Amino acid sequence: WRSKHKAIIPDFRIHFNVSSTTIYRGNMTECPYSHTPHHVVSQSAYNHMIGEFYVRQLIGLHQWMRDYPPESDQDIQMYVHTSARNSGLLDGHRLFMGVLPQNDKVNNFLSLVQGKESCECYQTLAFCGYTRTASEATNIQSRNQTFDMAAAITYKGEKSPDWCHDKAKNLDLTCTIYNDFRQDLMARYAREDSLLQHKIREYRRQTLSAAGLPSE
């Protein structure tokens, strides 16, 4: 893995080959299938910064998974590939990833390969936010592929971070992308905690009161 973005130092510990033709023919008792069938690794430029992560990675990923939901949230395990060396997942990463259909076990990409005592097979291992180098994109028969980091996860012609803007950079007031994300995020956590809205209001009231501001 490497990055075309000069401000990002690539993490050379990570290297992987991708092939759509390889089939494991070993003993399946030694290398069983994961109980979670679909594993999704995603990344984008500067995603170690929460604001960039939100705009460049999450919004696009949310749009795709909103249109193509899994049969069950338990069918998907999510991984975040942080783009800067020695950067890890923050609580904010995991909080925002909660908007996506997934099994609530969001982890770092390296967890796929570190600390494994045995091999494990996946029905699907998808990579979002990567792009093949120009030379290899024309050689689709190659079994070894080199991937660059994509600037963002895009969605059907929309390009981050220009969500809700037209080609002339004018704000589209009819755009609901950000509101859809917020509503889905709140709805997911509300299902897990029926008192969430009350807790948010109470926390806001306490914060304003502590600052000497009116809480209403």
Side-chain angles (χ1 to χ4, degrees):
W1 173 82
R2 61 191 181 190
S3 171
K4 294 181 290 186
H5 299 266
K6 295 181 179 180
I8 299 296
I9 301 174
D11 192 336
F12 293 105
R13 295 173 300 167
I14 301 173
H15 176 79
F16 55 90
N17 294 329
V18 176
S19 172
S20 60
T21 60
T22 300
I23 299 175
Y24 178 73
R25 301 186 184 280
N27 188 338
M28 293 307 295
T29 61
E30 297 176 358
C31 191
Y33 273 97
S34 168
H35 293 299
T36 304
H38 310 301
H39 295 249
V40 179
V41 179
S42 61
Q43 75 157 0
S44 63
Y46 315 112
N47 66 354
H48 58 292
M49 296 183 285
I50 294 297
E52 298 287 350
F53 170 72
Y54 178 85
V55 174
R56 293 178 180 270
Q57 184 166 330
L58 268 179
I59 296 296
L61 198 56
H62 174 247
Q63 292 296 306
W64 282 111
M65 298 188 76
R66 186 182 173 93
D67 279 4
Y68 303 97
E71 293 183 6
S72 167
D73 287 359
Q74 297 304 310
D75 286 348
I76 293 187
Q77 167 80 50
M78 303 295 298
Y79 304 86
V80 177
H81 182 179
T82 48
S83 53
R85 186 178 177 85
N86 297 324
S87 61
L89 291 190
L90 305 174
D91 288 342
H93 287 106
R94 290 190 167 90
L95 173 69
F96 284 132
M97 288 293 283
V99 73
L100 304 173
Q102 39 91 8
N103 61 2
D104 294 325
K105 296 179 182 178
V106 177
N107 217 329
N108 191 291
F109 177 33
L110 288 177
S111 68
L112 271 172
V113 293
Q114 289 182 334
K116 297 287 187 179
E117 297 180 357
S118 61
C119 64
E120 189 174 44
C121 293
Y122 307 119
Q123 180 176 325
T124 305
L125 179 57
F127 292 88
C128 301
Y130 300 83
T131 179
R132 284 188 295 178
T133 57
S135 60
E136 292 181 343
T138 60
N139 184 14
I140 61 175
Q141 300 301 322
S142 174
R143 296 184 65 180
N144 295 319
Q145 304 288 344
T146 300
F147 289 85
D148 284 327
M149 175 182 63
I153 295 177
T154 59
Y155 176 77
K156 294 184 178 180
E158 294 278 355
K159 292 186 177 180
S160 168
D162 295 326
W163 303 111
C164 295
H165 290 79
D166 61 22
K167 294 182 179 179
K169 305 297 183 180
N170 297 313
L171 180 63
D172 178 4
L173 298 179
T174 66
C175 176
T176 63
I177 288 177
Y178 289 106
N179 187 60
D180 290 343
F181 182 96
R182 182 178 183 277
Q183 294 302 319
D184 285 354
L185 185 68
M186 293 294 293
R188 181 176 178 89
Y189 285 119
R191 289 195 297 270
E192 298 180 7
D193 185 349
S194 60
L195 298 177
L196 179 62
Q197 291 287 0
H198 170 75
K199 292 177 180 178
I200 292 175
R201 287 193 296 268
E202 181 61 21
Y203 178 77
R204 183 185 298 128
R205 187 191 66 78
Q206 292 177 2
T207 302
L208 292 172
S209 179
L213 300 172
S215 58
E216 300 298 335

